[in-house]
């Protein structure tokens, strides 16, 4: 401290006290001062922190070669002056934040606190105070403000509803997308429980999800799909995810909600188109199988006509042979039943069909399609071997569409076997194996195998090697299996032919 400025205005202090005061001031993160409340505040005492703060030495300031106001930022000096003056006039302490331009030209933010401590005989007020560098704090504050504005802009321009709630589920904020989705203004819904955004029938599911979000877990919480409910009680499908916001002390949650209405409509459209295409494919397949089907129906019809004639003969005898007549009628009925079953299967396959999944006995499903496939196999002189695990479980599927896929794979396999010149009586296997989660269905043929050239586009529409092929069978089959949550896999067998397989989800026992 410049000794020449010391005694004039300080209260007298002893040497020891003075040293302690000096040490104390040195350790302060800033500068203590005493000045006159005149223009630009001439200072007659500043502590050591002065150099670090503004780049001027103590003696330069204390000798008043430079005044504090000389490097107070010109944009702010008037405001600082006004505040200091008004505090000095009222004898109150003052606090100001302003920028200075340090000796090296660097701008700094400083915080100053001071008060009037005395008055000279000419009436000029003497101020004492402390000034410290708050540039870092200001920078952090500015970064925080920017980050908050940035986050706010993201939330407000988000296409999804972004809602924040407290740990009781009370809504705290509701972005623009949430307002458009649910029809509530932000101030209107604030404070309501977030559950009220779900349709009443989904309240329990919603509450369970909210509770799970509040339980600490390492497993990331998945989103849930449910029906939302808007201000006018309209229900619509939504997907919702919830996550805790890291906040000091209080627990808060952010909920993201996406409206699935458009997605559901698009999915329905795709499903309807797939159903139409699958129907056309079934008609086409059955058209191609017409010769075999005619044969399949002709056989029981011929037998029916035979048994009817024998029956008549037994009846017309002078001594009607009722036992034999009964026998003939029994067989006739069996054949009529067989023909009826073929026609019924045809009808089922040709009927337009809206896809839906049901609980189906896998064995029955496979037996039925085996019988229909046999119609074609007989014409080609091949045999379809049905190889089923014992006690096949029930599966969840659309039976008509799954039978269509299997028939398609069987016919492709037999076609490939014909191209491979397989001998009459050659076998194609329709196999079903039980796994813990699925019934795995495979069609194993003895044909040419899938050519390398075709491998990559096998499931693409219109990919065919057949002269009269449409190349739609596998692509339709793939989309049917995809709608069952699976996919068709294929491999060329080690020796000959190819295996196509897919899984159907097991129904719980
Ligand atoms: P298409 O039968 O009308 O050709 P698909 O989509 O059912 O249409 O089959 C596409 C192509 O895939 C067939 O033309 C054939 O070359 C090949 N393919 C299908 N299944 C087999 C198979 N089991 N073995 C060898 N190639 C096959």
């Amino acid at each position: 401290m410049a000794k020449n400025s010391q005694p004039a205005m300080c209260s007298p202090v002893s040497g020891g006290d003075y040293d302690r005061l000096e040490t104390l001031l040195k350790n302060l993160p800033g500068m203590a001062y005493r000045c006159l409340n005149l223009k630009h505040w001439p200072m007659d005492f500043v502590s050591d922190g002065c150099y670090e703060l503004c780049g001027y030495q103590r003696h330069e300031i204390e000798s008043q070669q430079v005044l504090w106001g000389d490097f107070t930022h010109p944009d702010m000096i008037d405001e600082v002056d006004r505040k200091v003056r008004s505090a000095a006039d009222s004898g109150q302490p003052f606090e100001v934040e302003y920028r200075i331009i340090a000796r090296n030209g660097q701008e700094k933010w400083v915080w100053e606190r001071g008060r009037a401590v005395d008055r000279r005989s000419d009436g000029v007020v003497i101020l004492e105070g402390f000034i410290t560098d708050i540039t870092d704090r200001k920078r952090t504050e500015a970064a925080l403000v920017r980050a908050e504005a940035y986050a706010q802009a993201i939330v407000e321009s988000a296409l999804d509803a972004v809602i924040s709630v407290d740990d009781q589920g009370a809504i705290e904020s509701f972005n623009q997308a949430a307002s458009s989705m649910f029809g509530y203004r932000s101030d209107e819904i604030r404070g309501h429980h977030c559950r009220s955004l779900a349709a009443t029938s989904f309240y329990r599911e919603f509450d369970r999800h909210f509770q799970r979000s509040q339980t600490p877990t390492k497993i990331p919480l998945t989103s849930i799909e449910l029906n939302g409910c808007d201000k006018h009680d309209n229900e619509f499908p939504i997907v919702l995810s919830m996550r805790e916001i890291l906040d000091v002390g209080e627990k808060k949650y952010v909920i993201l909600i996406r409206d699935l209405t458009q997605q559901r409509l698009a999915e329905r459209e795709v499903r309807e188109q797939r159903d139409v295409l699958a129907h056309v494919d079934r008609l086409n397949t059955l058209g191609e199988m017409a010769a075999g089907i005619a044969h399949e129906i002709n056989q029981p019809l011929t037998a029916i006509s035979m048994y009817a004639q024998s029956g008549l003969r037994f009846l017309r005898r002078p001594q009607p042979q009722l036992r034999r007549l009964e026998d003939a009628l029994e067989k006739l009925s069996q054949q009529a039943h067989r023909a009826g079953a073929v026609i019924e299967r045809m009808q089922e396959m040709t009927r337009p069909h809206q896809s839906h999944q049901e609980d189906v006995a896998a064995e029955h499903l496979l037996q039925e399609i085996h019988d229909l496939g046999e119609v074609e196999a007989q014409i080609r002189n091949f045999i379809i071997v049905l190889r089923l695990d014992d006690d096949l479980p029930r599966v969840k599927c659309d039976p008509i569409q799954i039978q269509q896929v299997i028939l398609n794979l069987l016919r492709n396999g037999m076609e490939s076997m014909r191209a491979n010149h397989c001998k009459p009586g050659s076998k194609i296997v329709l196999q079903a194996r039980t796994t813990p989660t699925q019934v795995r269905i495979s069609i194993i043929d003895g044909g040419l195998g899938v050519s390398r050239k075709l491998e990559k586009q096998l499931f693409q529409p219109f990919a065919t090697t057949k002269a009269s092929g449409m190349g739609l069978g596998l692509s339709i089959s793939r989309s049917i299996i995809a709608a069952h949550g699976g996919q068709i896999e294929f491999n060329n067998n080690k020796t000959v032919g190819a295996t196509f397989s897919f899984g159907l989800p097991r129904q719980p026992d």
Side-chain angles (χ1 to χ4, degrees):
M1 177 173 278
K3 296 265 188 303
N4 59 355
S5 62
Q6 188 50 41
M9 291 199 197
C10 247
S11 319
V13 282
S14 70
D17 287 348
Y18 180 73
D19 288 346
R20 271 203 298 282
L21 190 62
E22 186 82 337
T23 315
L24 187 76
L25 290 177
K26 259 188 193 151
N27 288 332
L28 285 178
M31 173 189 104
Y33 69 86
R34 186 174 47 235
C35 68
L36 294 175
N37 192 22
L38 292 174
K39 188 170 169 17
H40 285 202
W41 306 287
M43 300 219 168
D44 64 6
F45 164 73
V46 290
S47 68
D48 273 344
C50 152
Y51 180 73
E52 202 180 328
L53 195 62
C54 61
Y56 291 94
Q57 299 293 346
R58 283 179 66 179
H59 68 85
E60 291 175 282
I61 305 251
E62 286 173 342
S63 64
Q64 297 170 6
Q65 288 168 29
V66 275
L67 303 182
W68 190 254
D70 295 345
F71 42 87
T72 299
H73 199 287
D75 289 354
M76 307 188 90
I77 194 163
D78 290 345
E79 192 189 336
V80 176
D81 187 49
R82 194 171 35 77
K83 281 189 179 160
V84 172
R85 220 170 270 285
S86 114
D89 290 350
S90 61
Q92 294 298 315
F94 61 86
E95 244 183 62
V96 274
E97 287 182 5
Y98 57 95
R99 274 175 290 153
I100 59 168
I101 302 167
R103 188 175 214 162
N104 61 3
Q106 187 194 353
E107 278 197 19
K108 288 182 175 182
W109 271 98
V110 296
W111 170 86
E112 176 176 345
R113 185 181 165 85
R115 65 176 304 156
V117 289
D118 210 346
R119 193 178 282 275
R120 265 191 346 195
S121 53
D122 59 1
V124 176
V125 172
I126 302 166
L127 302 169
E128 279 182 2
F130 181 73
I131 304 175
T132 187
D133 184 348
I134 55 164
T135 311
D136 285 348
R137 199 197 84 197
K138 280 285 183 188
R139 226 178 257 146
T140 312
E141 273 175 13
L144 265 175
V145 168
R146 264 200 308 278
E148 204 177 306
Y150 188 62
Q152 188 67 17
I154 291 176
V155 167
E156 281 311 322
S157 56
L159 298 175
D160 290 340
V162 183
I163 299 155
S164 67
V165 301
D166 67 14
D167 62 343
Q168 299 302 309
I171 294 174
E172 291 191 337
S173 72
F174 210 64
N175 73 341
Q176 188 54 49
S179 291
S180 333
M181 201 178 289
F182 291 95
Y184 296 105
R185 284 191 325 272
S186 161
D187 59 329
E188 192 178 11
I189 190 76
R190 200 170 299 133
H192 287 255
H193 197 283
C194 51
R195 182 201 299 119
S196 59
L197 300 175
T200 34
S201 52
F202 286 90
Y203 274 8
R204 278 183 56 195
E205 207 174 325
F206 185 95
D207 286 346
R208 262 205 306 273
H209 192 73
F210 190 41
Q211 272 162 17
R212 276 207 303 272
S213 318
Q214 292 178 305
T215 321
T217 166
K218 290 213 168 73
I219 309 159
L221 202 64
T222 48
S223 47
I224 51 163
E225 288 187 16
L226 42 89
N227 274 5
C229 183
D230 71 11
K231 186 178 176 180
H232 309 290
D233 278 341
N234 298 315
E235 289 193 20
F236 55 102
I238 55 172
V239 58
L240 171 154
S241 66
M242 221 178 265
R243 157 178 299 269
E244 191 180 328
I245 308 172
L246 294 173
D247 198 340
V248 192
E250 291 171 276
K251 279 196 167 184
K252 299 213 182 291
Y253 298 85
V254 64
I255 303 177
L256 294 183
I257 299 178
R258 178 168 298 178
D259 183 348
L260 294 180
T261 310
Q262 291 307 320
Q263 189 180 322
R264 288 280 184 273
L265 284 175
E267 282 168 2
R268 198 167 82 194
E269 206 166 300
V270 168
R271 202 167 48 239
E272 282 169 2
Q273 281 172 3
R274 192 185 57 229
D275 289 351
V276 170
L277 209 57
H279 181 227
V280 170
D281 183 59
R282 283 199 302 277
L283 290 178
N284 187 45
T285 303
L286 293 176
E288 284 172 9
M289 290 172 68
I293 293 165
H295 178 73
E296 182 71 5
I297 294 176
N298 240 347
Q299 271 185 343
L301 285 182
T302 313
I304 287 168
S305 138
M306 245 171 52
Y307 290 125
Q309 281 167 23
S310 336
L312 278 175
R313 271 202 309 279
F314 297 138
L315 193 64
R316 282 178 188 150
R317 287 199 181 156
Q319 291 286 306
Q321 291 181 293
L322 292 180
R323 279 261 332 268
R324 297 185 73 180
L325 172 67
E326 193 183 339
D327 199 30
L329 285 177
E330 182 72 38
K331 288 190 171 128
L332 183 149
S333 149
Q334 280 169 10
Q335 292 299 325
H337 193 76
R338 186 178 151 197
V342 176
I343 290 167
E344 197 180 318
R345 269 201 300 277
M346 297 300 119
Q347 277 178 334
E348 269 180 19
M349 297 288 270
T350 49
R351 220 175 272 141
H353 166 82
Q354 230 188 23
S355 53
H356 69 282
Q357 299 192 3
E358 54 190 83
D359 181 334
V360 176
E363 188 173 339
H364 179 69
L365 176 111
L366 290 158
Q367 185 66 56
E368 260 190 8
I369 199 61
H370 166 266
D371 294 350
L372 188 57
E374 272 290 309
V375 170
E376 179 106 344
Q378 275 170 19
I379 297 272
R380 297 177 183 274
N381 269 325
F382 294 141
I383 295 168
I384 302 177
V385 178
L386 192 57
R387 200 186 283 161
L388 308 181
D389 271 1
D390 289 338
D391 295 329
L392 276 183
R394 299 180 74 81
V395 286
K396 183 153 187 261
C397 71
D398 181 319
I400 299 282
Q401 292 196 339
I402 292 301
Q403 287 185 332
Q404 174 175 4
V405 171
I406 298 173
L407 185 63
N408 190 15
L409 297 176
L410 281 171
R411 294 186 69 237
N412 273 348
M414 289 191 278
E415 183 65 27
S416 180
M417 285 166 67
R418 190 190 56 79
N420 201 20
H421 308 294
C422 288
K423 287 196 294 252
S426 295
K427 291 172 182 154
I428 177 166
V429 178
L430 171 54
Q431 172 181 286
R433 295 261 174 272
T434 309
T435 76
T437 53
Q438 290 185 329
V439 170
R440 191 115 203 115
I441 296 169
S442 306
I443 291 88
I444 309 158
D445 67 55
L448 294 166
V450 178
S451 67
R452 277 198 156 270
K453 208 173 128 208
L454 198 68
E455 249 177 38
K456 288 217 167 71
Q457 330 133 29
L458 195 64
F459 293 97
Q460 300 296 319
F462 311 114
T464 182
T465 54
K466 301 173 195 166
S468 59
M470 297 235 294
L472 286 178
L474 284 180
S475 114
I476 292 171
S477 298
R478 182 181 64 168
S479 70
I480 290 176
I481 298 301
H484 286 75
Q487 59 182 45
I488 301 184
E489 287 163 11
F490 75 95
N491 279 308
N492 283 335
N493 302 330
K494 279 203 182 103
T495 48
V496 69
T499 297
F500 283 73
S501 58
F502 61 89
L504 290 177
R506 280 178 71 158
Q507 283 291 72
D509 294 329

